[in-house]
């Protein structure tokens, strides 16, 4: 081999060696960078996990506090309403007795005042009862008392109670009870209360119109359902009102409160009770034309169904298929 070739090979070797060294240095510095970045990531991850743990603890504590506050509020409401009812019951009973006495002695002028006292006390009693029902529902302290319900008897009782209300606004009250609707096994009082609330609303928000209750039986989701449709040809509701419906203490607007009174609890209670009965309430309405409430409950409320009640005032309230 010539000296020239030796020199060339030596230089090539030196070039390769320095290139390898440069590559090794680069690799080392990159590895170091990677190591440092990894360390930073590990630290970040650890601190993130710590923050998530702290946040979760804070949220759990806040939720527990809110639940406890809500429980205490419901308990307070239930106790206060109960305590208020006892003396109020005495006021109503004594004002009835006084009315009879005044009638006996023929004091018509005093009787008018006495009737106002009696009426106001009864109104107060209705409001307190609503608050009591609402707080019981909210505190999930409502119990079911199921029995076989005769639908024609239930309807007759409702008509008796509601006729004066319908007449007051010049409304016609109609009932269409399908022949094959019965039998029904559920909680009679709670069902009556739901229907009363829906029908009394229909009578209240309709003038010189038609209020109709339709009852029939249908099949869905592997069982029989009783469907109660309460329709009216009254003032109706717009989209905004419908969006707020069933919320406790919510009424159409302040003019409705002024004109029609009420507390805005009736529908919230009805939906709570209906869900307790394993059912749902849906609504459709057109302003100026009328409203239609559709309530469906299982024809036979079994113990397991009752035990699986959906929580009160949850968001998803789809009607059964
Ligand atoms: N059939 C109906 N037609 C038109 N509006 C209705 C009807 N039913 C309910 N609403 C509207 O929904 C609101 C809430 O009804 P809800 O029964 O809860 O309360 P309320 O009747 O005002 O008072 P309460 O029932 O507590 O005496 C009513 O104030 C009214 O604005
Ligand atoms: Mg009402």
């Amino acid at each position: 081999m010539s000296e020239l070739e030796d020199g060339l090979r030596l230089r090539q070797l030196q070039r390769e060696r320095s290139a390898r060294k440069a590559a090794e240095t680069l690799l080392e510095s990159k590895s170091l960078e990677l190591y440092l970045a990894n360390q930073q990531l590990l630290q970040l991850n650890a601190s993130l996990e710590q923050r998530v743990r702290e946040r979760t603890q804070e949220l759990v504590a806040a939720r527990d506090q809110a639940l406890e506050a809500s429980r205490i509020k419901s308990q307070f409401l239930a106790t206060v309403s109960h305590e208020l009812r006892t003396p109020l019951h005495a006021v109503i009973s004594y004002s009835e007795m006084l009315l009879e006495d005044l009638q006996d002695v023929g004091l018509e002028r005093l009787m008018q005042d006495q009737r106002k006292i009696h009426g106001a006390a009864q109104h107060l009693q209705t409001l307190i009862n609503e608050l009591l029902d609402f707080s019981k529902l909210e505190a999930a302290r409502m119990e079911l008392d199921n029995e076989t319900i005769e639908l024609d008897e239930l309807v007759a009782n409702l008509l008796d109670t509601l006729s004066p209300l319908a007449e007051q606004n010049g409304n016609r009250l109609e009932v269409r009870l399908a022949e094959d609707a019965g039998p029904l096994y559920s909680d009679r009082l709670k069902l009556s209360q739901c229907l009363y609330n829906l029908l009394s609303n229909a009578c209240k928000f309709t003038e010189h119109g038609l209020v109709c209750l339709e009852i029939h039986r249908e099949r869905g989701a592997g069982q029989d359902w009783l469907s109660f449709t309460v329709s009216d040809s009254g003032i109706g509701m717009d989209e905004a009102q419908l969006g707020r419906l069933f919320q406790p203490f919510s009424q159409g607007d302040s003019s409705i409160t002024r004109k029609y009174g009420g507390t805005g609890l009736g529908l919230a209670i009805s939906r709570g009770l209906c869900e307790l009965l394993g059912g749902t309430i849906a609504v459709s309405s057109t302003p100026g034309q009328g409203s239609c409430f559709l309530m469906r409950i299982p024809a036979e409320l079994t113990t397991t169904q009752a035990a699986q009640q959906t929580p009160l005032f949850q968001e998803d309230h789809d009607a059964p298929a």
Side-chain angles (χ1 to χ4, degrees):
M1 219 181 285
S2 70
E3 259 184 49
L4 187 65
E5 281 176 335
D6 280 351
L8 277 173
R9 190 162 299 154
L10 195 65
R11 249 181 288 150
Q12 194 180 350
L13 268 172
Q14 279 169 343
R15 265 204 306 274
E16 280 174 6
R17 206 177 298 147
S18 60
R20 202 179 313 133
K21 195 145 177 77
E24 277 171 8
T25 320
L26 188 68
L27 196 70
E28 256 175 43
S29 84
K30 286 288 169 203
S31 302
L32 187 66
E33 270 177 34
L34 214 65
Y35 172 77
L36 290 175
N38 197 29
Q39 285 301 101
Q40 271 181 349
L41 262 177
L42 282 174
Q43 274 175 10
L44 205 64
N45 194 26
S47 82
L48 260 179
E49 276 177 6
Q50 177 62 21
R51 275 169 64 187
V52 168
R53 263 197 302 276
E54 285 168 9
R55 280 307 247 165
T56 311
Q57 273 171 5
E58 282 169 21
L59 285 173
V60 168
R63 186 207 58 188
D64 288 349
Q65 268 180 10
L67 284 174
E68 180 62 5
S70 168
R71 196 191 59 76
I72 291 170
K73 183 203 73 183
S74 300
Q75 178 92 42
F76 171 77
L77 212 54
T79 314
V80 166
S81 310
H82 185 75
E83 292 303 316
L84 287 175
R85 281 208 306 182
T86 317
L88 196 57
H89 184 68
V91 173
I92 292 172
S93 306
Y94 277 100
S95 72
E96 277 165 5
M97 276 160 53
L98 211 56
L99 254 177
E100 283 169 17
D101 291 348
L102 291 173
Q103 193 162 20
D104 287 347
V105 289
L107 285 172
E108 184 55 39
R109 199 186 55 78
L110 286 182
M111 274 175 74
Q112 280 174 14
D113 291 343
Q114 190 54 32
R115 274 197 203 99
K116 283 184 191 148
I117 295 175
H118 185 245
Q122 274 186 322
H123 182 62
L124 196 56
Q125 193 182 40
T126 311
L127 298 184
I128 290 171
N129 284 344
E130 277 194 342
L131 279 176
L132 185 61
D133 282 345
F134 178 72
S135 58
K136 271 193 195 160
L137 274 168
E138 219 187 15
R141 287 202 344 222
M142 204 85 114
E143 275 164 24
L144 286 167
D145 186 10
N146 297 333
E147 59 183 305
T148 304
I149 301 170
E150 299 298 338
L151 281 167
D152 38 9
E153 198 182 305
L154 179 115
V155 165
N157 283 339
L158 274 172
L159 283 181
D160 274 353
T161 327
L162 283 154
S163 296
L165 254 179
E167 276 163 25
Q168 214 169 306
N169 278 354
N171 291 319
R172 194 152 50 87
L173 192 53
E174 250 182 49
V175 177
R176 294 175 204 149
L177 172 59
E179 273 179 21
D180 62 345
L184 170 63
Y185 184 78
S186 194
D187 187 312
R188 192 170 50 83
L189 279 181
K190 292 184 181 58
L191 172 62
S192 296
Q193 195 175 347
C194 288
L195 291 173
Y196 175 83
N197 283 344
L198 296 181
L199 284 161
S200 65
N201 277 352
C203 291
K204 184 161 72 164
F205 298 109
T206 307
E207 273 177 37
H208 305 290
L210 176 67
V211 172
C212 184
L213 167 66
E214 267 184 80
I215 307 173
H216 69 265
R217 196 179 189 88
E218 59 193 32
R219 190 93 194 138
Q223 61 175 319
D224 278 6
W225 297 82
L226 254 293
S227 103
F228 301 85
T229 309
V230 175
S231 56
D232 65 62
S233 57
I235 59 171
M237 287 170 275
D238 59 22
E239 285 297 320
Q241 277 177 289
L242 286 172
R244 288 193 302 270
L245 219 58
F246 301 110
Q247 299 297 321
F249 303 104
S250 126
Q251 295 185 292
D253 56 40
S254 53
S255 67
I256 291 219
T257 317
R258 275 197 306 277
K259 184 168 175 195
Y260 300 97
T263 44
L265 274 177
L267 284 180
I269 291 172
S270 300
R271 189 170 73 177
L273 289 175
C274 177
E275 286 175 355
L276 207 62
L277 301 180
T280 54
I281 300 186
V283 59
S284 61
S285 186
T286 312
Q289 290 188 19
S291 310
C292 179
F293 287 82
L294 170 61
M295 180 172 125
R296 283 196 184 99
I297 58 166
E300 187 165 346
L301 186 58
T302 58
T303 331
T304 13
Q305 256 177 331
Q308 291 167 354
Q309 293 313 320
T310 46
L312 181 59
F313 311 130
Q314 64 158 24
E315 292 306 312
D316 177 18
H317 289 101
D318 290 345

